[in-house]
Each structure stands twice: as structure tokens, then as C-alpha cells.
Amino acid sequence: MKPYLHKALAVLATATLLVCCGNPAFAQGLIIGIAPSAVQGKEALQYLTRRIQPGEEALLFDAWNLRALGTFAVPNNASYRSEKAKLNVNRALVGKLLSLDGTGSGAVRLPQFLDFLGRNHAPLADTDIVILGSPLYLDPAQPEQSMNGGKVPNDGYFNAAPDVTPFSLRGKGNLLAGARVYLGFAGHEPVPGSKHAYWVKRFWTLFVEGHGAVLSGFTGDRETLWKRVSDHAGKLPHDFIREDTDKMEMMHIRIPVPGDVSIFERELSANPVTPERLHHAQNVEIGISWDCPFCDLDLHARPGEKADVLNYQHTQSAEGVYRKDFLNSPRASGGFETVAFNVPVDLHKTLLAVNWYGGASGAGVKGEIRIALDGETFALPFAFTPGRGNGGTGFNETMGQAKPANGNWLVLDPLHIVGAGQ
């Protein structure tokens, strides 16, 4: 009979097989990687005691520290069919799993774990790889590439060099060829149904497929997760298309709160802005939208000469935050650019610049910039002449001199946008 590992979970092959009343046959097909916590360890055990039958086994791993935890093996003897007998023969591993003491964040190093499996335990065809932990990548060693606060890497990270980012897919096209990957994350998921959850799922789908595997599970519902694992379910249906770009951007995705309305959906104001409000503008938010679906425009905003510039490369500062606002766009570079300041700003000293970064258009690009302050929103159209993006060339000159370095840049006056310019 085909061992269960050919069909179910697996863990890493560096663990030592337990031997009792006959050796269970090891077959690479079921791998479970868990966040280092007793909660995750207990859940893995609950599933294994139900599903692993005599003569079958599974390997378990710490998916944060990339180390083997052990092999859950059931001797090929009918007397080991009960859950109690399975736990007793694996008591050393059970004790280890129930005594795990991690940070409590549920974090796993998913890119490194999958890379480790592929490089040390291939081939993995027809293998079910289950990972219990947060799908939000959090690594203290690389905080700028972490997914906290609504951030998700864009597809440019896939094309970067491996020494630049753990999300690189260079040379990994067949590393996990034929494997099925399941992500289970109860208690550690993005907001269900949110834009952030959509983009996190999209990212890991394309990342897993970039290794030659398929994402077969992405859920916080444990019943759904384990059923898909038991059924050896195929890939989750999707229409995601990987963007061919070298631009590396941590997309800071807007996570709406109840009653919140995007700046691009608000009614515009025609009320005059007093001089005092211009010098001490409160709750300032700036956004750009455009009409070219395959063009990538970038907003760069600086609230003062000594302040940091907020943009796709620098998404947070002492003054504010940059984020993407995805309304209807299914493309990784199709989110509208938004900057929100969390401190009062002087609009006389605020520098706003727009760059046509990527894509081409024979008709040019028409767009709109909006500024909101104290609950009122103002707008002004802008346009680029026919051409193509220049990858941000001219950034230093534009921001340093407060004037466009070339035809791919526009510098827009905040006072003019709110109707207070000369």
C-alpha cells in the first residue's frame, strides 16, 4: 500500500525515524512546517493522529528556524491504529511539539523554508507541504521587506537577485516541481476579504508557482485546510498574472476602516482655503490617479526641505505614510498612489512630484491629483505627452531643484490644487 507520505503532510528528511515493532516505510510526500509554538505543534499532532496509519509516517519542521523537529511514524502493525497508541510510540516528538515556545507571533520564514526544502529534499513531486503560521512575512533582520502594516512586495522582487531579497525567483523554477503547498493561518491572517488579503494571497500564489509548485490551500479555517490536504487538492483557481518588472516596491496597501472613503471616491470641495489653513494644514492626504492601465506613475511628496520624501521606496517617515489604493485594478502596478501626513504641514513648503515610471502610451497619460485637508478634498488634472516611462531617472534633480528634470516628471503646486495659487 502506498505510504501516506506520498499523499499527505511531510516534514523535513533530516529527522531520525522512530523504530518500533517494525520500521515504517519512509516516502517523501507529506511535509509539515510549523511556527515554533505549542499551539501549532498540538494542531499538527491532532491531524497526524487521525490520519497517519500503521506503516506510514510524516516529518515535522520548525519553519522559522529551519530545523527538523522529528518524524511522526506509526509501526506497520494493526495494534497501532488507536490515537493513544500513535501518540505513545511518538512520545518523544509529542513532548517536543507541546513544549515549543516561540514568540507568539505565528511567524514563519516561508521563502527560506521552501528554498530549504527544495534544495535539500527534492524531488518533491506529488508532495503535500503544509505550513502552519502567519502568511505575513516578518523578519527582524529585514524589516524593510516585512509585510506588517498592510505591506506586500510587488512582482519586481521576483526578478531581483537572491542576495537582495528572499523573494527572488531566479534559478528556482523547478525547485519544488510538482509539489502542493497549503498555508494555514488561523489567528494570523490579514483582514478577511480585504485588499491586503487579496494581494498577500496573490503574492504567495505567484511565489509558489515560481518554484514549479501550486498553492493548494490559503485559509484561516482549519477544517477547510485539513480537508484539502486529505483530498490532495489541486491548485486554487486564480487569474493572477505575474508582472514583468524590475521595479522593487513594497506596496503599502490601504486597509480601510468602517466609514472610511478613499480620497479618489470623495466629493470635491469648492470652498476657499484660508491662509492659516495653508500654513498649518491638518489631516493632509494626497493621491494621484491616471487613465493608462498599463502605465506606472509614482507620487513623491515631501512636506518640507528637511523632511524625508515619501514614495514607493520610502513608505514611512516621521511625517506620514505612502500607500497603494487599489479600487478596481487587478494589476500589481495598478494601484493609485496615496500619501497621508500625520502631522500638520505647510502647503507653501510641500513639494509634490509625479514621475511616469513605466509603460508606454501613444496618446500620453491623463491623470488627476487630489489633496484632502480637514475633511475637504480638492482636485486638479495633469497630463504627460505621448511616450514611455523612464524608470525614475531624474529623481534627485527634480526633488533637489523643485522642478522637472525631464519630460517624465511633473512638479505640481499644492496651492494651485486647492485653488489658492497665483
Side-chain angles (χ1 to χ4, degrees):
M1 180 174 66
K2 187 176 181 181
Y4 179 70
L5 267 186
H6 272 301
K7 300 178 179 178
L9 291 169
V11 193
L12 288 171
T14 53
T16 302
L17 296 176
L18 294 171
V19 179
C20 178
C21 304
N23 291 342
F26 174 75
Q28 198 160 9
L30 176 59
I31 297 175
I32 303 178
I34 66 174
S37 75
V39 172
Q40 307 292 2
K42 181 179 180 180
E43 180 170 347
L45 284 173
Q46 288 174 337
Y47 178 76
L48 291 172
T49 53
R50 293 195 309 267
R51 299 298 300 184
I52 296 293
Q53 299 303 314
E56 300 172 350
E57 60 189 21
L59 297 175
L60 293 96
F61 289 82
D62 178 340
W64 173 264
N65 295 299
L66 310 184
R67 64 186 179 94
L69 296 171
T71 304
F72 190 94
V74 179
N76 193 11
N77 188 308
S79 62
Y80 287 92
R81 290 190 179 277
S82 73
E83 293 185 8
K84 182 177 180 180
K86 294 174 186 177
L87 290 173
N88 185 56
V89 76
N90 290 284
R91 54 188 175 275
L93 174 60
V94 171
K96 183 183 297 185
L97 291 172
L98 296 182
S99 63
L100 288 173
D101 185 18
T103 62
S105 66
V108 295
R109 289 195 291 165
L110 183 55
Q112 293 91 338
F113 182 58
L114 294 180
D115 185 73
F116 177 71
L117 290 178
R119 297 193 183 282
N120 294 282
H121 302 282
L124 292 166
D126 201 28
T127 299
D128 292 301
I129 301 172
V130 182
I131 300 167
L132 303 178
S134 175
L136 304 182
Y137 181 78
L138 302 173
D139 191 345
Q142 295 178 306
E144 73 284 355
Q145 296 189 38
S146 293
M147 294 183 182
N148 59 319
K151 291 182 290 186
V152 180
N154 79 328
D155 295 358
Y157 280 82
F158 296 148
N159 296 321
D163 61 345
V164 173
T165 175
F167 307 127
S168 172
L169 291 178
R170 290 190 189 180
K172 299 180 181 180
N174 294 308
L175 205 57
L176 302 175
R180 295 176 292 270
V181 178
Y182 308 80
L183 302 183
F185 44 85
H188 300 287
E189 64 267 33
V191 179
S194 69
K195 294 292 184 181
H196 187 222
Y198 170 89
W199 289 101
V200 170
K201 180 179 180 181
R202 177 190 180 279
F203 181 82
W204 290 128
T205 297
L206 296 176
F207 183 80
V208 168
E209 291 181 355
H211 287 73
V214 295
L215 187 65
S216 298
F218 185 88
T219 178
D221 182 82
R222 286 302 196 247
E223 183 176 351
T224 299
L225 172 72
W226 294 122
K227 185 178 188 308
R228 291 189 65 82
V229 174
S230 297
D231 293 344
H232 316 295
K235 78 172 184 178
L236 295 170
H238 68 83
D239 57 359
F240 307 139
I241 299 175
R242 181 174 162 183
E243 300 260 336
D244 184 15
T245 177
D246 293 326
K247 176 185 177 183
M248 294 175 61
E249 174 182 3
M250 285 299 294
M251 301 184 296
H252 197 296
I253 297 171
R254 175 177 173 268
I255 302 178
V257 297
D260 186 19
V261 178
S262 164
I263 189 174
F264 305 105
E265 301 172 308
R266 300 173 194 166
E267 292 187 6
L268 299 179
S269 173
N271 296 328
V273 181
T274 65
E276 172 60 24
R277 290 177 68 194
L278 293 175
H279 283 286
H280 200 72
Q282 304 271 358
N283 304 313
V284 174
E285 191 174 2
I286 304 152
I288 59 169
S289 60
W290 57 95
D291 65 355
C292 178
F294 294 99
C295 296
D296 184 11
L297 270 59
D298 291 324
L299 172 64
H300 304 262
R302 187 181 66 203
E305 291 185 6
K306 296 184 179 180
D308 292 332
V309 177
L310 283 164
N311 55 26
Y312 74 90
Q313 291 181 312
H314 188 61
T315 61
Q316 289 180 293
S317 72
E319 294 81 20
V321 62
Y322 158 99
R323 60 178 179 252
K324 287 275 193 178
D325 204 336
F326 292 90
L327 300 180
N328 300 307
S329 174
R331 302 180 64 249
S333 61
F336 297 146
E337 311 277 312
T338 307
V339 166
F341 293 118
N342 51 31
V343 297
V345 299
D346 186 344
L347 293 184
H348 295 84
K349 300 178 180 179
T350 300
L351 177 59
L352 303 179
V354 179
N355 172 243
W356 183 354
Y357 185 97
S361 174
V365 181
K366 294 180 180 179
E368 182 182 68
I369 185 167
R370 291 191 169 201
I371 293 183
L373 56 152
D374 287 333
E376 291 186 283
T377 304
F378 304 85
L380 189 73
F382 64 81
F384 286 97
T385 57
R388 64 176 56 250
N390 73 345
T393 300
F395 168 79
N396 290 331
E397 296 87 342
T398 299
M399 302 308 293
Q401 301 175 16
K403 62 181 181 180
N406 52 60
N408 283 73
W409 285 89
L410 296 173
V411 172
L412 304 172
D413 184 357
L415 303 181
H416 190 40
I417 299 168
V418 300
Q422 298 298 324

